[in-house]
Amino acid sequence: MHADVRLDARGLTCPLPLLKAKQALNRMEAGQILEVIATDSGSVRDFKAYADLSNHELISTTEADNLYIHLIRRG
């Protein structure tokens, strides 16, 4: 899936990956997709909870080589 914006949050710990993602989403248009690359395992829980409480859609979360890649569609 094509990401419109990529955010490298590697090395940031909770809650910084989510805060940086919120800032990025605020600058995006509805329907655009944000890809967040994080190393904090807590980001999996954080992004799911955030999507459940917001109008944004968590498309997927994948893990590879200790990286957590989140795809979020702006609501």
Side-chain angles (χ1 to χ4, degrees):
M1 180 168 285
H2 167 75
D4 298 290
V5 177
R6 286 190 170 83
L7 173 64
D8 185 349
R10 288 179 277 196
L12 300 178
T13 57
C14 181
L16 289 176
L18 182 58
L19 292 175
K20 297 285 186 183
K22 285 181 180 180
Q23 292 172 342
L25 287 164
N26 285 336
R27 294 188 298 268
M28 297 169 63
E29 295 181 21
Q32 287 188 310
I33 296 173
L34 172 65
E35 177 185 63
V36 181
I37 302 168
T39 50
D40 182 10
S41 63
S43 67
V44 174
R45 177 193 63 244
D46 292 346
F47 280 95
K48 174 153 183 8
Y50 177 65
D52 289 345
L53 296 173
S54 71
N55 64 339
H56 307 306
E57 175 191 359
L58 180 60
I59 298 168
S60 68
T61 295
T62 56
E63 180 187 358
D65 299 324
N66 295 321
L67 293 178
Y68 301 91
I69 302 167
H70 309 281
L71 290 177
I72 305 160
R73 185 183 325 271
R74 174 135 172 30

